[in-house]
Amino acid sequence: MKKLILFVATCIISVNAFSQSFHHGIGISVFFDNMTPDKITTISAITYSPRYNFRETEQMSASLGIPLSIGFVGDGNSTVYYDEVTGEETSGSIKGFAVNLPLVVNLNVGAGSTKNNKHNIGGFIGAGYTWHYVSSRDYTKDGNDKSVGGSSFGPTINGGFRFNLGGDPFNNIELRFSYYKGRNRTQLEMFGIGAIFNL
C-alpha cells in the first residue's frame, strides 16, 4: 500500500512539473462487483476526476488521471438467499463503505481533450492500475453469519464519451465505463459506469 501511495504521489509531482494543462470534474458512479458470494452487489459513489494532460495537439491529448470514487454498498434491505441443497431460504443485509482509486493513462480526442478543442463530441480510452477497498459486508447464508471485504488491486481499463455543453469549450458531460480485475486473493471483478461534469 505504501508503495502504491508513493508511486501515485511521484506521478502527480512529475506530471505537474511538465504537464500542459490540468482538468477536473465531479459526478456520480455506480459499480457492480462479485465480492459477495452468489450475488452481484452495487456500489453507489461520488467521483472526483482530476487529470493532467502531459501531451497535447490541436485534436487530441494524452493524460494521467486519478478518478477517485467514494461510496456505499447496499441500502440495508433484506436480501434472500436460496440454498439449492436444502431448499431453504435465508436472508440478511449487505452493507459496506468503498473506495476506488485508479491511476489511468488515457488517449483523449475531440470534445474535452484540451481546453481549446471546440468539437461537440469526443471520447477517451485508456488503461492503468486500481486499488479498491471495501469495508466488511455482513450477510447471512445457510443460517451462518458471514463477512467479506478488504482491499484488492489489479489492472483496469476505461473509456467513454464527452459532449460539449456550449459556451466554454471545456465544460462538458462525460460518460465513463470501466472494468477492473483484482489480482490478489479476492479475485474481484468490477464493472463501472459514471456521469461526470468536467469544469
Side-chain angles (χ1 to χ4, degrees), residues 156-185:
T156 188
I157 57 174
N158 73 170
F161 305 94
R162 296 188 181 105
F163 305 93
N164 271 343
L165 300 178
D168 186 337
F170 194 67
N171 284 342
N172 60 78
I173 295 292
E174 175 182 309
L175 300 180
R176 171 184 293 272
F177 305 90
S178 64
Y179 172 74
Y180 162 69
K181 174 66 175 178
R183 289 299 188 190
N184 60 340
R185 60 178 179 80

mmCIF file of all heavy atoms in Angstrom, residues 156-185:
data_model
loop_
_atom_site.group_PDB
_atom_site.id
_atom_site.type_symbol
_atom_site.label_atom_id
_atom_site.label_comp_id
_atom_site.label_asym_id
_atom_site.label_seq_id
_atom_site.Cartn_x
_atom_site.Cartn_y
_atom_site.Cartn_z
ATOM 1 N N THR A 156 -6.858 -2.186 -14.784
ATOM 2 C CA THR A 156 -8.166 -1.643 -15.132
ATOM 3 C C THR A 156 -8.117 -1.038 -16.531
ATOM 4 O O THR A 156 -7.059 -0.605 -16.992
ATOM 5 C CB THR A 156 -8.610 -0.569 -14.105
ATOM 6 O OG1 THR A 156 -9.955 -0.196 -14.346
ATOM 7 C CG2 THR A 156 -7.727 0.657 -14.188
ATOM 8 N N ILE A 157 -9.248 -1.054 -17.208
ATOM 9 C CA ILE A 157 -9.396 -0.351 -18.480
ATOM 10 C C ILE A 157 -10.603 0.555 -18.372
ATOM 11 O O ILE A 157 -11.530 0.280 -17.591
ATOM 12 C CB ILE A 157 -9.555 -1.319 -19.682
ATOM 13 C CG1 ILE A 157 -10.752 -2.257 -19.473
ATOM 14 C CG2 ILE A 157 -8.278 -2.115 -19.902
ATOM 15 C CD1 ILE A 157 -11.049 -3.136 -20.678
ATOM 16 N N ASN A 158 -10.595 1.653 -19.112
ATOM 17 C CA ASN A 158 -11.749 2.558 -19.109
ATOM 18 C C ASN A 158 -11.872 3.259 -20.452
ATOM 19 O O ASN A 158 -10.946 3.270 -21.264
ATOM 20 C CB ASN A 158 -11.673 3.549 -17.952
ATOM 21 C CG ASN A 158 -10.634 4.646 -18.121
ATOM 22 O OD1 ASN A 158 -10.620 5.588 -17.352
ATOM 23 N ND2 ASN A 158 -9.751 4.565 -19.093
ATOM 24 N N GLY A 159 -13.031 3.825 -20.678
ATOM 25 C CA GLY A 159 -13.297 4.554 -21.901
ATOM 26 C C GLY A 159 -14.610 5.285 -21.771
ATOM 27 O O GLY A 159 -15.358 5.077 -20.804
ATOM 28 N N GLY A 160 -14.900 6.148 -22.723
ATOM 29 C CA GLY A 160 -16.165 6.855 -22.644
ATOM 30 C C GLY A 160 -16.277 7.956 -23.679
ATOM 31 O O GLY A 160 -15.469 8.055 -24.612
ATOM 32 N N PHE A 161 -17.293 8.779 -23.487
ATOM 33 C CA PHE A 161 -17.624 9.854 -24.426
ATOM 34 C C PHE A 161 -17.751 11.169 -23.669
ATOM 35 O O PHE A 161 -18.092 11.190 -22.493
ATOM 36 C CB PHE A 161 -18.945 9.549 -25.149
ATOM 37 C CG PHE A 161 -18.950 8.222 -25.853
ATOM 38 C CD1 PHE A 161 -19.455 7.089 -25.230
ATOM 39 C CD2 PHE A 161 -18.433 8.108 -27.139
ATOM 40 C CE1 PHE A 161 -19.454 5.861 -25.871
ATOM 41 C CE2 PHE A 161 -18.427 6.888 -27.790
ATOM 42 C CZ PHE A 161 -18.942 5.760 -27.155
ATOM 43 N N ARG A 162 -17.497 12.272 -24.380
ATOM 44 C CA ARG A 162 -17.688 13.608 -23.811
ATOM 45 C C ARG A 162 -18.521 14.439 -24.783
ATOM 46 O O ARG A 162 -18.343 14.355 -25.998
ATOM 47 C CB ARG A 162 -16.346 14.290 -23.546
ATOM 48 C CG ARG A 162 -15.486 13.580 -22.505
ATOM 49 C CD ARG A 162 -14.258 14.415 -22.141
ATOM 50 N NE ARG A 162 -13.426 13.706 -21.169
ATOM 51 C CZ ARG A 162 -12.274 13.117 -21.462
ATOM 52 N NH1 ARG A 162 -11.826 13.154 -22.711
ATOM 53 N NH2 ARG A 162 -11.582 12.505 -20.531
ATOM 54 N N PHE A 163 -19.409 15.260 -24.208
ATOM 55 C CA PHE A 163 -20.306 16.087 -25.008
ATOM 56 C C PHE A 163 -20.221 17.527 -24.515
ATOM 57 O O PHE A 163 -20.495 17.806 -23.338
ATOM 58 C CB PHE A 163 -21.750 15.586 -24.892
ATOM 59 C CG PHE A 163 -21.909 14.127 -25.246
ATOM 60 C CD1 PHE A 163 -21.848 13.150 -24.259
ATOM 61 C CD2 PHE A 163 -22.097 13.733 -26.561
ATOM 62 C CE1 PHE A 163 -21.987 11.804 -24.570
ATOM 63 C CE2 PHE A 163 -22.230 12.390 -26.885
ATOM 64 C CZ PHE A 163 -22.176 11.422 -25.889
ATOM 65 N N ASN A 164 -19.847 18.459 -25.411
ATOM 66 C CA ASN A 164 -19.776 19.866 -25.038
ATOM 67 C C ASN A 164 -21.162 20.418 -24.747
ATOM 68 O O ASN A 164 -22.154 20.041 -25.368
ATOM 69 C CB ASN A 164 -19.125 20.681 -26.154
ATOM 70 C CG ASN A 164 -17.622 20.755 -26.004
ATOM 71 O OD1 ASN A 164 -17.075 20.489 -24.938
ATOM 72 N ND2 ASN A 164 -16.949 21.123 -27.086
ATOM 73 N N LEU A 165 -21.200 21.361 -23.808
ATOM 74 C CA LEU A 165 -22.471 21.970 -23.413
ATOM 75 C C LEU A 165 -22.689 23.331 -24.054
ATOM 76 O O LEU A 165 -23.671 23.989 -23.784
ATOM 77 C CB LEU A 165 -22.529 22.108 -21.886
ATOM 78 C CG LEU A 165 -22.431 20.793 -21.110
ATOM 79 C CD1 LEU A 165 -22.444 21.065 -19.619
ATOM 80 C CD2 LEU A 165 -23.567 19.862 -21.489
ATOM 81 N N GLY A 166 -21.739 23.781 -24.869
ATOM 82 C CA GLY A 166 -21.848 25.099 -25.476
ATOM 83 C C GLY A 166 -21.171 26.127 -24.596
ATOM 84 O O GLY A 166 -20.919 25.909 -23.409
ATOM 85 N N GLY A 167 -20.862 27.291 -25.160
ATOM 86 C CA GLY A 167 -20.165 28.315 -24.385
ATOM 87 C C GLY A 167 -18.713 27.940 -24.215
ATOM 88 O O GLY A 167 -17.977 27.777 -25.184
ATOM 89 N N ASP A 168 -18.264 27.811 -22.978
ATOM 90 C CA ASP A 168 -16.883 27.411 -22.692
ATOM 91 C C ASP A 168 -16.640 26.039 -23.296
ATOM 92 O O ASP A 168 -17.325 25.078 -22.976
ATOM 93 C CB ASP A 168 -16.682 27.359 -21.172
ATOM 94 C CG ASP A 168 -15.229 27.093 -20.786
ATOM 95 O OD1 ASP A 168 -14.492 26.527 -21.614
ATOM 96 O OD2 ASP A 168 -14.850 27.458 -19.664
ATOM 97 N N PRO A 169 -15.640 25.899 -24.181
ATOM 98 C CA PRO A 169 -15.433 24.621 -24.871
ATOM 99 C C PRO A 169 -15.045 23.469 -23.955
ATOM 100 O O PRO A 169 -15.099 22.324 -24.370
ATOM 101 C CB PRO A 169 -14.315 24.934 -25.873
ATOM 102 C CG PRO A 169 -13.613 26.121 -25.318
ATOM 103 C CD PRO A 169 -14.683 26.919 -24.621
ATOM 104 N N PHE A 170 -14.630 23.763 -22.712
ATOM 105 C CA PHE A 170 -14.228 22.649 -21.875
ATOM 106 C C PHE A 170 -15.306 22.212 -20.891
ATOM 107 O O PHE A 170 -15.181 21.190 -20.240
ATOM 108 C CB PHE A 170 -12.933 22.962 -21.109
ATOM 109 C CG PHE A 170 -12.331 21.717 -20.525
ATOM 110 C CD1 PHE A 170 -11.814 20.735 -21.348
ATOM 111 C CD2 PHE A 170 -12.322 21.512 -19.157
ATOM 112 C CE1 PHE A 170 -11.281 19.569 -20.824
ATOM 113 C CE2 PHE A 170 -11.783 20.347 -18.623
ATOM 114 C CZ PHE A 170 -11.256 19.381 -19.458
ATOM 115 N N ASN A 171 -16.388 22.963 -20.738
ATOM 116 C CA ASN A 171 -17.492 22.491 -19.890
ATOM 117 C C ASN A 171 -18.225 21.395 -20.644
ATOM 118 O O ASN A 171 -18.903 21.652 -21.633
ATOM 119 C CB ASN A 171 -18.448 23.634 -19.556
ATOM 120 C CG ASN A 171 -17.865 24.559 -18.499
ATOM 121 O OD1 ASN A 171 -16.937 24.188 -17.787
ATOM 122 N ND2 ASN A 171 -18.395 25.753 -18.410
ATOM 123 N N ASN A 172 -18.096 20.160 -20.182
ATOM 124 C CA ASN A 172 -18.699 19.042 -20.894
ATOM 125 C C ASN A 172 -19.153 17.969 -19.936
ATOM 126 O O ASN A 172 -18.722 17.906 -18.789
ATOM 127 C CB ASN A 172 -17.719 18.471 -21.929
ATOM 128 C CG ASN A 172 -16.441 17.974 -21.295
ATOM 129 O OD1 ASN A 172 -16.406 16.890 -20.712
ATOM 130 N ND2 ASN A 172 -15.382 18.764 -21.385
ATOM 131 N N ILE A 173 -20.052 17.140 -20.430
ATOM 132 C CA ILE A 173 -20.524 15.973 -19.697
ATOM 133 C C ILE A 173 -19.773 14.749 -20.200
ATOM 134 O O ILE A 173 -19.653 14.536 -21.410
ATOM 135 C CB ILE A 173 -22.041 15.765 -19.897
ATOM 136 C CG1 ILE A 173 -22.825 16.929 -19.282
ATOM 137 C CG2 ILE A 173 -22.490 14.438 -19.290
ATOM 138 C CD1 ILE A 173 -22.764 16.991 -17.776
ATOM 139 N N GLU A 174 -19.277 13.960 -19.261
ATOM 140 C CA GLU A 174 -18.508 12.760 -19.596
ATOM 141 C C GLU A 174 -19.258 11.514 -19.143
ATOM 142 O O GLU A 174 -19.691 11.424 -17.995
ATOM 143 C CB GLU A 174 -17.149 12.829 -18.904
ATOM 144 C CG GLU A 174 -16.286 11.606 -19.054
ATOM 145 C CD GLU A 174 -14.980 11.745 -18.286
ATOM 146 O OE1 GLU A 174 -14.288 12.778 -18.468
ATOM 147 O OE2 GLU A 174 -14.653 10.832 -17.508
ATOM 148 N N LEU A 175 -19.427 10.564 -20.038
ATOM 149 C CA LEU A 175 -19.987 9.257 -19.705
ATOM 150 C C LEU A 175 -18.830 8.264 -19.689
ATOM 151 O O LEU A 175 -18.158 8.069 -20.704
ATOM 152 C CB LEU A 175 -21.046 8.841 -20.724
ATOM 153 C CG LEU A 175 -22.252 9.763 -20.852
ATOM 154 C CD1 LEU A 175 -23.218 9.221 -21.897
ATOM 155 C CD2 LEU A 175 -22.965 9.918 -19.509
ATOM 156 N N ARG A 176 -18.595 7.645 -18.524
ATOM 157 C CA ARG A 176 -17.420 6.797 -18.322
ATOM 158 C C ARG A 176 -17.825 5.347 -18.079
ATOM 159 O O ARG A 176 -18.792 5.065 -17.371
ATOM 160 C CB ARG A 176 -16.641 7.319 -17.112
ATOM 161 C CG ARG A 176 -15.520 6.423 -16.637
ATOM 162 C CD ARG A 176 -14.869 6.989 -15.379
ATOM 163 N NE ARG A 176 -14.180 8.234 -15.674
ATOM 164 C CZ ARG A 176 -12.926 8.302 -16.082
ATOM 165 N NH1 ARG A 176 -12.208 7.193 -16.256
ATOM 166 N NH2 ARG A 176 -12.357 9.464 -16.326
ATOM 167 N N PHE A 177 -17.062 4.426 -18.674
ATOM 168 C CA PHE A 177 -17.247 2.992 -18.464
ATOM 169 C C PHE A 177 -15.901 2.403 -18.058
ATOM 170 O O PHE A 177 -14.860 2.791 -18.584
ATOM 171 C CB PHE A 177 -17.748 2.309 -19.741
ATOM 172 C CG PHE A 177 -19.007 2.921 -20.298
ATOM 173 C CD1 PHE A 177 -18.939 3.952 -21.225
ATOM 174 C CD2 PHE A 177 -20.248 2.481 -19.881
ATOM 175 C CE1 PHE A 177 -20.095 4.533 -21.741
ATOM 176 C CE2 PHE A 177 -21.412 3.051 -20.380
ATOM 177 C CZ PHE A 177 -21.330 4.070 -21.304
ATOM 178 N N SER A 178 -15.924 1.446 -17.122
ATOM 179 C CA SER A 178 -14.660 0.867 -16.668
ATOM 180 C C SER A 178 -14.828 -0.613 -16.314
ATOM 181 O O SER A 178 -15.936 -1.079 -16.017
ATOM 182 C CB SER A 178 -14.137 1.621 -15.443
ATOM 183 O OG SER A 178 -15.019 1.485 -14.344
ATOM 184 N N TYR A 179 -13.706 -1.313 -16.359
ATOM 185 C CA TYR A 179 -13.654 -2.714 -15.929
ATOM 186 C C TYR A 179 -12.379 -2.917 -15.128
ATOM 187 O O TYR A 179 -11.299 -2.432 -15.514
ATOM 188 C CB TYR A 179 -13.663 -3.662 -17.126
ATOM 189 C CG TYR A 179 -13.407 -5.103 -16.740
ATOM 190 C CD1 TYR A 179 -14.391 -5.867 -16.111
ATOM 191 C CD2 TYR A 179 -12.165 -5.684 -16.971
ATOM 192 C CE1 TYR A 179 -14.145 -7.175 -15.738
ATOM 193 C CE2 TYR A 179 -11.910 -6.996 -16.606
ATOM 194 C CZ TYR A 179 -12.907 -7.739 -15.991
ATOM 195 O OH TYR A 179 -12.653 -9.036 -15.607
ATOM 196 N N TYR A 180 -12.504 -3.624 -14.014
ATOM 197 C CA TYR A 180 -11.376 -3.851 -13.116
ATOM 198 C C TYR A 180 -11.307 -5.321 -12.735
ATOM 199 O O TYR A 180 -12.338 -5.950 -12.475
ATOM 200 C CB TYR A 180 -11.534 -2.980 -11.868
ATOM 201 C CG TYR A 180 -10.710 -3.414 -10.689
ATOM 202 C CD1 TYR A 180 -9.330 -3.300 -10.701
ATOM 203 C CD2 TYR A 180 -11.322 -3.945 -9.558
ATOM 204 C CE1 TYR A 180 -8.573 -3.704 -9.618
ATOM 205 C CE2 TYR A 180 -10.572 -4.349 -8.472
ATOM 206 C CZ TYR A 180 -9.195 -4.218 -8.504
ATOM 207 O OH TYR A 180 -8.451 -4.627 -7.437
ATOM 208 N N LYS A 181 -10.084 -5.874 -12.696
ATOM 209 C CA LYS A 181 -9.875 -7.261 -12.322
ATOM 210 C C LYS A 181 -8.842 -7.337 -11.210
ATOM 211 O O LYS A 181 -7.669 -7.010 -11.417
ATOM 212 C CB LYS A 181 -9.401 -8.070 -13.536
ATOM 213 C CG LYS A 181 -9.021 -9.513 -13.224
ATOM 214 C CD LYS A 181 -10.216 -10.335 -12.783
ATOM 215 C CE LYS A 181 -9.829 -11.794 -12.591
ATOM 216 N NZ LYS A 181 -10.958 -12.609 -12.109
ATOM 217 N N GLY A 182 -9.282 -7.750 -10.004
ATOM 218 C CA GLY A 182 -8.370 -7.880 -8.881
ATOM 219 C C GLY A 182 -7.407 -9.044 -9.068
ATOM 220 O O GLY A 182 -7.797 -10.107 -9.555
ATOM 221 N N ARG A 183 -6.160 -8.851 -8.640
ATOM 222 C CA ARG A 183 -5.131 -9.871 -8.804
ATOM 223 C C ARG A 183 -4.799 -10.603 -7.504
ATOM 224 O O ARG A 183 -4.070 -11.582 -7.527
ATOM 225 C CB ARG A 183 -3.845 -9.239 -9.347
ATOM 226 C CG ARG A 183 -3.945 -8.798 -10.787
ATOM 227 C CD ARG A 183 -4.238 -9.977 -11.692
ATOM 228 N NE ARG A 183 -4.144 -9.611 -13.099
ATOM 229 C CZ ARG A 183 -4.538 -10.388 -14.077
ATOM 230 N NH1 ARG A 183 -5.056 -11.575 -13.813
ATOM 231 N NH2 ARG A 183 -4.438 -10.002 -15.325
ATOM 232 N N ASN A 184 -5.303 -10.138 -6.369
ATOM 233 C CA ASN A 184 -4.971 -10.815 -5.117
ATOM 234 C C ASN A 184 -6.051 -11.844 -4.784
ATOM 235 O O ASN A 184 -6.856 -12.231 -5.639
ATOM 236 C CB ASN A 184 -4.778 -9.808 -3.985
ATOM 237 C CG ASN A 184 -6.020 -8.974 -3.729
ATOM 238 O OD1 ASN A 184 -6.890 -8.866 -4.596
ATOM 239 N ND2 ASN A 184 -6.121 -8.403 -2.557
ATOM 240 N N ARG A 185 -6.122 -12.290 -3.547
ATOM 241 C CA ARG A 185 -6.971 -13.421 -3.164
ATOM 242 C C ARG A 185 -8.453 -13.198 -3.423
ATOM 243 O O ARG A 185 -9.205 -14.157 -3.591
ATOM 244 C CB ARG A 185 -6.772 -13.725 -1.675
ATOM 245 C CG ARG A 185 -7.131 -12.575 -0.759
ATOM 246 C CD ARG A 185 -6.967 -12.916 0.708
ATOM 247 N NE ARG A 185 -7.295 -11.802 1.556
ATOM 248 C CZ ARG A 185 -8.544 -11.450 1.877
ATOM 249 N NH1 ARG A 185 -9.564 -12.140 1.387
ATOM 250 N NH2 ARG A 185 -8.763 -10.420 2.655
#
